[in-house]
Amino acid sequence: MWGPSPAFADSANHAIAMHGEPALPADFKHFQYVNPDAPKGGRLIIGLLGSFDSLNPYVVRGEAVMGLRTYVYAPLMQRNQDEPFTLYPLIAEKIDVPDDRSSVTFYINPRAKFSDGHAVTVDDVIFSWELLKDKGWPNQRTHYAKVEKVERVGSNGVKFSFPNANDRELPLIMALLMVLPKHAIDPEKFDQATLEKPIAAGPYVVTDMKVGTSLTLKRVQDWWGDNLPSNKGMYNFDEIRYEFYRDNNSLFEAFKKGLVDMRAEDDPAKWSRDYDFPAVKDGRVTLETIPTGMPRTLQTYVFNTRRDIFADVRVREALVTLFDFEWMNKNLFRGAYERTESLFHGSELAAFQKPASPLEKSYLQHANAKLAPEFLDGTWKLAATDGTARDRTLLRAALNKFEDAGWVHVNGKLVNRKTGQPFTFEVMANTRDEERVLLSWKKTLDQAGIDMRIRQVDSAQAERRRQTYDFDMTKWNYISSLSPGNEQAIRWGSKTATQPGSVNLAGVKDPAVDALLEKLVAAKTREELVSASRALDRVLMAGYYMLPLYNIPAWHIAHWSRVKIPAKPALAGSMMETWWYTNP
């Protein structure tokens, strides 16, 4: 059992919630979505599209493997996925936060170790904060720069103070700081892509690697965090291997042959059509439909408003109008999708079909947001077509919007009234499935005289171009929690619009958005958070910064029956960290 450290303040707590109190007491045994008796052992093979060229997931350069942050590195505290935003012990075993949230103090677990055996110390925490503040991702640099003072507290504590931040989420963001080993990292080289195997404090280490082809992680035997209640029933596989595939068809065939253990299917038409192969019929492959209580993933094609052609909101609205979701859903997806019409679709945070409350209206007035009546009264929705792929009414409506913005239809082409420049743009596509959707949209755009070019690029090239905003339109998925906060500023705030590597891909620079983002992070109650989220939702959807696509209300996961999944998923859905292996 874990014994208490000798040096905490009397006010220190075992957990912190963004709003209200943590759901689990200090003596909780495990999270509710795990199997606490799950056996250790076996191997999980995960198939991914694309490739990788770096093992550093905390810098802009290079394309790192997504699982490194989950399995190899460890933060100060970790989330309970059954709560909107509550953190429990990991490297930090206690946390102390004043009522005004102007500082946060962490007490380091004396048993925490890096994979090379070195103890995790306060020096490592301070080093990690400084390094990521200076050379990490743009969101890390933004968040960590708000800290004005760092102090040691006793033998195992560190206090970060930010009296002028006015950011009630910042203590939780600091608690998610990934702790890096000071003794093993050269700060001068940290911002470079690297294939050097990382030393970290998480449950796995990198063992074998074939660049761009495969990566293998091995579970640390007697990992220091194994017996923490927040880790009980998690990290059960002895080995996790990522196999990389160039296209989705090859990946699917590999799964059918048992070369890959699991597959998350995001195409509901494929789910209903193609998962009837022999291994499904005889029970060797299990199909799961797993509900999630989270906002639906916002799948979009983002307009780069840094480009002159997309600078006018009327142009962006016209292009969105010409997306024939109804035809695509019927003919490509067997009617399985619903249209996404909110940043937070499917949750209480969404403004869609809800009139603005008095509190929302006060936020919008404070932000000096100018919205059409339909965005305030809850009647706005995306234009729906007749599903024929030749809806003349919506085509005329779109052409009228183009004309208002200075583009006219001449001899079958849409051209600029003043310059005669044709309306043409390029969209990056990473997969054949993306290309199929874009080709359907292109047919409608052709009717309006618009020349849309589809550029197939590999994942590494697409990432490099996104990091430098070298694109007209690109696919991007925004994932939100039930407690949106500073990550929204990274996506939509003016300060990140010019930062290379940020996910403000649209280049949003709107004072009204910035004002609402401040309301979001300053929210003291759930009501304030929901109101700020809905107000932000209205302003961004009215800006038509993206082409919203579609969503499904549950996850579709197929897995070979040697891999087991807990019966009760988390509020956030099923997590691979909770799965385990059994002998067939």
Side-chain angles (χ1 to χ4, degrees), residues 29 59 81 163 247 256 284 295 506 544:
K29 303 303 182 185
V59 296
Q81 300 292 346
D247 64 82
K256 288 165 61 177
R284 287 176 294 149
Y544 290 93

Side-chain angles (χ1 to χ4, degrees), residues 59-74:
V59 296
V60 171
R61 296 182 182 177
E63 185 173 9
V65 181
M66 66 172 186
L68 293 174
R69 285 181 286 184
T70 301
Y71 294 107
V72 173
Y73 291 88

Side-chain angles (χ1 to χ4, degrees), residues 143-406:
H143 299 328
Y144 301 155
K146 295 179 181 180
V147 174
E148 298 176 32
K149 185 178 181 181
V150 181
E151 304 169 78
R152 298 174 182 275
V153 179
S155 61
N156 68 330
V158 55
K159 180 179 181 180
F160 296 95
S161 298
F162 26 85
N164 298 305
N166 190 31
D167 183 347
R168 295 185 60 79
E169 190 184 33
L170 196 51
L172 287 85
I173 290 175
M174 296 305 301
L176 292 174
L177 173 72
M178 290 291 173
V179 182
L180 307 172
K182 182 178 180 180
H183 67 276
I185 291 177
D186 181 352
E188 297 301 317
K189 298 180 180 178
F190 181 74
D191 57 354
Q192 306 295 314
T194 179
L195 291 171
E196 184 177 347
K197 295 177 181 178
I199 294 170
Y204 288 80
V205 293
V206 176
T207 54
D208 298 326
M209 172 180 57
K210 295 180 181 178
V211 178
T213 302
S214 67
L215 181 77
T216 301
L217 310 180
K218 184 177 181 181
R219 186 166 60 86
V220 177
Q221 298 298 314
D222 299 320
W223 178 50
W224 68 269
D226 267 337
N227 292 322
L228 284 174
S230 52
N231 291 323
K232 190 72 173 175
M234 297 178 68
Y235 311 118
N236 301 311
F237 296 99
D238 280 344
E239 185 176 289
I240 298 173
R241 191 169 79 215
Y242 295 93
E243 298 280 357
F244 291 83
Y245 292 82
R246 294 298 181 185
D247 64 82
N248 203 26
N249 288 334
S250 298
L251 176 52
F252 184 55
E253 291 302 315
F255 171 71
K256 288 165 61 177
K257 294 176 182 177
L259 301 177
V260 172
D261 285 318
M262 62 79 60
R263 177 177 171 85
E265 183 56 70
D266 58 4
D267 183 344
K270 190 175 184 69
W271 181 257
S272 65
R273 182 186 65 236
D274 296 341
Y275 285 79
D276 60 351
F277 49 91
V280 173
K281 293 178 179 179
D282 63 22
R284 287 176 294 149
V285 167
T286 301
L287 305 183
E288 312 260 9
T289 298
I290 300 175
T292 171
M294 306 298 283
R296 312 278 169 78
T297 297
L298 176 59
Q299 295 189 62
T300 69
Y301 280 99
V302 180
F303 297 108
N304 185 356
T305 64
R306 303 169 188 84
R307 301 284 207 244
D308 289 342
I309 200 167
F310 294 141
D312 193 312
V313 65
R314 294 168 296 185
V315 166
R316 302 194 297 270
E317 182 181 0
L319 289 167
V320 171
T321 299
L322 291 171
F323 186 80
D324 196 338
F325 165 74
E326 286 70 27
W327 185 91
M328 292 184 202
N329 195 33
K330 177 182 177 181
N331 292 278
L332 301 183
F333 307 124
R334 297 191 175 187
Y337 279 120
E338 63 181 48
R339 191 77 189 269
T340 300
E341 300 184 270
S342 168
L343 301 181
F344 312 110
H345 193 97
S347 76
E348 66 172 340
L349 304 170
F352 181 61
Q353 293 187 329
K354 301 182 183 85
S357 68
L359 185 55
E360 274 187 82
K361 289 179 180 178
S362 71
Y363 287 170
L364 291 164
Q365 184 176 12
H366 171 78
N368 197 28
K370 304 294 191 297
L371 293 177
E374 60 266 26
F375 286 98
L376 291 172
D377 63 22
T379 60
W380 173 85
K381 66 189 314 296
L382 290 168
T385 74
D386 61 11
T388 64
R390 300 192 67 85
D391 189 319
R392 308 297 297 178
T393 301
L394 285 185
L395 178 59
R396 284 194 297 271
L399 289 174
N400 287 338
K401 291 182 177 71
F402 280 121
E403 187 167 358
D404 290 343

Side-chain angles (χ1 to χ4, degrees), residues 426-479:
E426 178 185 278
V427 187
M428 289 197 300
N430 294 129
T431 67
R432 295 299 179 189
D433 289 338
E434 284 185 37
E435 187 175 31
R436 182 175 60 156
V437 170
L438 291 172
L439 285 170
S440 297
W441 188 31
K442 179 177 172 58
K443 291 179 181 178
T444 310
L445 295 178
D446 286 343
Q447 297 171 40
I450 295 170
D451 178 22
M452 183 186 80
R453 302 183 306 277
I454 302 169
R455 174 67 62 87
Q456 274 282 354
V457 296
D458 61 35
S459 59
Q461 182 184 0
E463 183 62 20
R464 286 193 296 271
R465 290 183 61 178
R466 279 191 288 261
Q467 288 172 2
T468 57
Y469 310 123
D470 180 22
F471 64 88
D472 295 336
M473 288 189 76
T474 186
K475 177 84 178 294
W476 193 253
N477 294 343
Y478 293 100
I479 300 173

Side-chain angles (χ1 to χ4, degrees), residues 3-228:
S5 293
F8 318 128
D10 291 340
S11 55
N13 293 300
H14 73 291
I16 180 174
M18 183 63 205
H19 299 102
E21 296 298 322
L24 302 179
D27 62 350
F28 80 98
K29 303 303 182 185
H30 56 79
F31 291 145
Q32 295 304 302
Y33 48 83
V34 305
N35 172 9
D37 300 317
K40 305 289 186 184
R43 180 177 64 190
L44 178 69
I45 302 177
I46 301 170
L48 297 176
L49 291 176
S51 63
F52 70 95
D53 59 10
S54 177
L55 297 181
N56 184 350
Y58 296 108
V59 296
V60 171
R61 296 182 182 177
E63 185 173 9
V65 181
M66 66 172 186
L68 293 174
R69 285 181 286 184
T70 301
Y71 294 107
V72 173
Y73 291 88
L76 287 165
M77 304 184 77
Q78 62 183 338
R79 298 182 79 135
N80 175 9
Q81 300 292 346
D82 262 350
E83 300 178 65
F85 193 8
T86 304
L87 303 176
Y88 291 85
L90 190 57
I91 288 175
E93 57 182 343
K94 291 284 186 177
I95 183 172
D96 189 9
V97 181
D99 289 342
D100 66 0
R101 296 202 171 184
S102 61
S103 67
V104 60
T105 303
F106 300 104
Y107 295 93
I108 307 306
N109 190 320
R111 296 172 177 81
K113 293 181 179 181
F114 293 110
S115 55
D116 63 356
H118 282 71
V120 177
T121 67
V122 168
D123 283 343
D124 294 309
V125 176
I126 296 173
F127 169 78
S128 303
W129 163 71
E130 291 177 331
L131 187 62
L132 294 171
K133 173 175 64 71
D134 294 337
K135 295 190 175 184
W137 279 94
N139 61 319
Q140 294 169 324
R141 297 198 294 267
T142 298
H143 299 328
Y144 301 155
K146 295 179 181 180
V147 174
E148 298 176 32
K149 185 178 181 181
V150 181
E151 304 169 78
R152 298 174 182 275
V153 179
S155 61
N156 68 330
V158 55
K159 180 179 181 180
F160 296 95
S161 298
F162 26 85
N164 298 305
N166 190 31
D167 183 347
R168 295 185 60 79
E169 190 184 33
L170 196 51
L172 287 85
I173 290 175
M174 296 305 301
L176 292 174
L177 173 72
M178 290 291 173
V179 182
L180 307 172
K182 182 178 180 180
H183 67 276
I185 291 177
D186 181 352
E188 297 301 317
K189 298 180 180 178
F190 181 74
D191 57 354
Q192 306 295 314
T194 179
L195 291 171
E196 184 177 347
K197 295 177 181 178
I199 294 170
Y204 288 80
V205 293
V206 176
T207 54
D208 298 326
M209 172 180 57
K210 295 180 181 178
V211 178
T213 302
S214 67
L215 181 77
T216 301
L217 310 180
K218 184 177 181 181
R219 186 166 60 86
V220 177
Q221 298 298 314
D222 299 320
W223 178 50
W224 68 269
D226 267 337
N227 292 322
L228 284 174

